[in-house]
Amino acid sequence: MANLLTIQQAAERLNLTERGIRRLVINEGLPTIRLGRTLRFDPNDLDAFVASCKQQRSTASWPTSDKSRHPTQVTEPFPISRRRKAV
């Protein structure tokens, strides 16, 4: 078994804060080893976790401006006839 890392060492290895490591453990399922009340991290588990988070680059280019999805003109929120008339 490889040397286990503390939270601080794992944070340095992943270039995160200790709080960031704790968030990954809680929210993303970063593998840990609990020894009593302390958490330890296997370096191989950290490498596997990072590899699983990598996204493959798409060969498709980003869509160009699509005016049907993003109108450039701002429309009135309500028709003028529905607004209150000044007294």
Side-chain angles (χ1 to χ4, degrees):
M1 178 181 273
N3 291 337
L4 299 178
L5 304 175
T6 64
I7 291 177
Q8 183 178 7
Q9 292 168 332
E12 289 174 4
R13 186 177 178 119
L14 297 181
N15 197 24
L16 295 171
T17 62
E18 291 182 29
R19 185 175 183 181
I21 292 292
R22 291 180 192 279
R23 285 182 179 168
L24 287 177
V25 170
I26 293 168
N27 298 330
E28 304 296 329
L30 179 64
T32 61
I33 299 169
R34 184 173 284 277
L35 297 173
R37 295 177 63 186
T38 62
L39 293 179
R40 295 290 187 254
F41 299 87
D42 185 344
N44 297 326
D45 288 344
L46 292 178
D47 295 338
F49 181 79
V50 170
S52 72
C53 292
K54 286 185 180 178
Q55 297 179 355
Q56 294 182 354
R57 291 185 184 207
S58 173
T59 57
S61 62
W62 286 98
T64 57
S65 176
D66 184 5
K67 292 182 180 178
S68 63
R69 292 182 60 192
H70 303 288
T72 56
Q73 295 179 348
V74 177
T75 58
E76 292 290 325
F78 298 106
I80 294 175
S81 62
R82 292 188 138 192
R83 291 186 182 172
R84 291 185 177 187
K85 296 181 181 179
V87 179

